[in-house]
Amino acid sequence: MSDLATLEAPATTAPVRTDWSREEIAALFDLPFTELVFRAAQVHRERHAADEVQLCTLLSIKTGGCPEDCGYCSQSVKAESGVPASKLMEVQAVLQSAAQARDAGSKRFCMGAAWRNPKDRDMDAIVEMVKGVREMGMETCMTLGMLTPEQTARLAEAGLDYYNHNIDTSPERYGDVITTRSFQDRLDTLSRVREAGINVCSGGIVGMGETRSDRVGFVHALATLEQHPESVPVNALVPVKGTVLGDMLADTPLAKIDDIEFVRTVAVARITMPLSMVRLSAGRESMSEATQALCFLAGANSIFTGDKLLTAPNAGDDSDAAMFARLGLKPMEGEEPMRAAKAQVGGCKGGCAA
Ligand code: SAM
Ligand code: DTB
Ligand code: SF4
């Protein structure tokens, strides 16, 4: 690779804004595509090593049979997707899977459960999983649904690094996608997680037949949180047959989001949340390498590795290694900017400066 491989813009110490208006975010979306991606790439370089991508691995520790009615999800009891319900995995089996992920170069192990919320009787096993994965030297992330303050405290005590809890879409679209909980329920769990000192991972899904205005509202909701999420997963809907949204897209193919609009969403997330890790999450398997390259240019700097997400297929290690080689990208080794900033100033409520 050439010595000129990493072109860094001068690092900036400009404070991170959390006062974005919807109009400002809509205006970013409206920019000419090349101008938007150029600006996003500039912000990316000011705050991150632009040739580094964080590798995370997902494991479904409890699959299917979920009582929630999320219209995109194969694991809801309301979906006729053929995903069978299973019990919570044994701790040892989870640790074995984490060891494989670590050996394949993954830095973060994300464990997901198809629950509305964990039961208190599950918490001992969950705590063992967090402790065990951390002892292997990996970062831990859990996504278990809504949490009580007591459960959140137990996860924090166990040393959980991240909690994933997505807002999924704009506040005004939320009720069309999920009826068994509210947008405010999501915000309440997120603030519990933040208060407990666990890093926040929150993002959503693009391509659910939403409007541009919903995408504006989605980014706005995240970018105006008192403190931005450390990680922002941007999923492209994986349309699963037997789910409300998967079937809707099969019937109305024109509702499918185009690649350029997806890249725009990544770019606007990068510009408005400059320090966050922006994760190109579900949907990569059916995305061309060229679209993924545009996402990396527009500031995405994290992916899920391996050939499976929770229930859906993922790109796979071999094809990702080939893509990284072709694009001159490398796995991220160092610390993330928001965590480094927190370590320096002992917390950064209300917006960190890098
Ligand atoms: N049950 C927990 C919850 O919903 O918070 C955790 C697991 S849930 C599967 C995690 C996230 O995966 C969802 O919030 C959603 O953003 C994403 N997701 C689920 N199904 C998806 C699909 N078909 N396409 C894209 N993203 C999906
Ligand atoms: C997130 O935002 N995406 C991941 C993770 N958080 C848990 C989940 C993607 C799920 C894709 C559909 C499936 O595998 O069933
Ligand atoms: Fe359940 Fe989570 Fe799927 Fe919703 S997204 S149905 S809460 S597993």
Side-chain angles (χ1 to χ4, degrees):
M1 194 57 54
S2 136
D3 287 347
L4 298 176
T6 314
L7 297 174
E8 288 176 14
T12 175
T13 52
V16 169
R17 289 184 53 194
T18 56
D19 62 351
W20 294 95
S21 69
R22 277 200 183 220
E23 291 70 30
E24 284 176 297
I25 293 176
L28 288 173
F29 266 100
D30 284 344
L31 282 171
F33 181 72
T34 48
E35 177 64 25
L36 172 61
V37 172
F38 177 75
R39 289 196 199 181
Q42 229 166 1
V43 171
H44 189 192
R45 276 156 180 71
E46 285 168 0
R47 310 281 191 167
H48 305 261
D51 58 348
E52 291 184 5
V53 176
Q54 178 189 52
L55 306 184
C56 309
T57 301
L58 261 179
L59 175 70
S60 180
I61 58 172
K62 194 272 163 206
T63 307
C66 181
E68 302 272 44
D69 69 352
C70 312
Y72 46 77
C73 187
S74 64
Q75 304 194 71
S76 164
V77 283
K78 302 276 159 52
E80 288 173 10
S81 59
V83 172
S86 64
K87 287 199 182 128
L88 181 62
M89 281 173 72
E90 297 292 335
V91 176
Q92 276 318 314
V94 171
L95 298 186
Q96 220 167 18
S97 179
Q100 276 170 11
R102 180 201 51 197
D103 295 345
S106 188
K107 295 288 173 249
R108 185 178 304 172
F109 196 63
C110 307
M111 294 159 269
W115 284 328
R116 174 176 165 82
N117 50 263
K119 305 256 186 326
D120 286 341
R121 64 166 186 263
D122 298 316
M123 289 307 291
D124 287 346
I126 294 290
V127 162
E128 286 312 303
M129 291 173 195
V130 172
K131 288 185 173 164
V133 175
R134 290 196 95 223
E135 277 165 20
M136 288 177 195
M138 293 175 92
E139 288 182 335
T140 50
C141 179
M142 284 269 176
T143 178
L144 313 170
M146 291 183 269
L147 296 176
T148 63
E150 295 71 27
Q151 291 170 337
T152 318
R154 282 206 71 188
L155 291 172
E157 223 174 278
L160 180 69
D161 297 288
Y162 290 80
Y163 195 75
N164 167 242
H165 201 64
N166 289 343
I167 60 161
D168 278 331
T169 188
S170 64
E172 58 276 17
R173 179 94 206 289
Y174 200 80
D176 297 338
V177 178
I178 302 149
T179 69
T180 48
R181 57 170 190 258
S182 68
F183 195 81
Q184 189 58 45
D185 288 331
R186 278 327 236 192
L187 297 180
D188 291 346
T189 292
L190 285 174
S191 59
R192 274 181 205 130
V193 168
R194 179 61 83 205
E195 283 300 311
I198 301 170
N199 293 298
V200 169
C201 171
S202 188
I205 309 179
V206 179
M208 298 193 290
E210 74 282 347
T211 60
R212 163 73 70 84
S213 160
D214 289 317
R215 291 186 281 280
V216 169
F218 157 62
V219 175
H220 179 259
L222 293 171
T224 55
L225 288 172
E226 196 185 340
Q227 192 180 322
H228 294 161
E230 280 76 7
S231 293
V232 177
V234 182
N235 297 276
L237 177 74
V238 179
V240 181
K241 202 162 172 274
T243 61
V244 175
L245 289 166
D247 291 347
M248 185 272 288
L249 276 189
D251 292 343
T252 46
L254 281 180
K256 189 179 179 299
I257 192 166
D258 76 25
D259 291 341
I260 296 296
E261 184 69 8
F262 185 84
V263 177
R264 280 185 187 273
T265 311
V266 168
V268 176
R270 165 52 64 224
I271 292 170
T272 54
M273 294 173 277
L275 286 172
S276 305
M277 302 297 291
V278 175
R279 184 168 310 121
L280 180 52
S281 301
R284 281 198 310 116
E285 199 234 1
S286 58
M287 218 176 257
S288 72
E289 209 164 275
T291 301
Q292 294 184 62
L294 277 175
C295 290
F296 295 129
L297 181 62
N301 60 350
S302 177
I303 59 169
F304 285 121
T305 58
D307 52 19
K308 198 168 171 202
L309 294 163
L310 293 172
T311 67
N314 193 29
D317 291 339
D318 292 347
S319 75
D320 281 343
M323 176 174 73
F324 272 43
R326 253 193 301 278
L327 300 180
L329 295 172
K330 56 188 185 209
M332 186 180 123
E333 295 290 344
E335 201 168 9
E336 297 165 28
M338 278 184 87
R339 297 192 70 184
K342 267 205 248 179
Q344 275 166 26
V345 298
C348 52
K349 275 201 150 188
C352 302

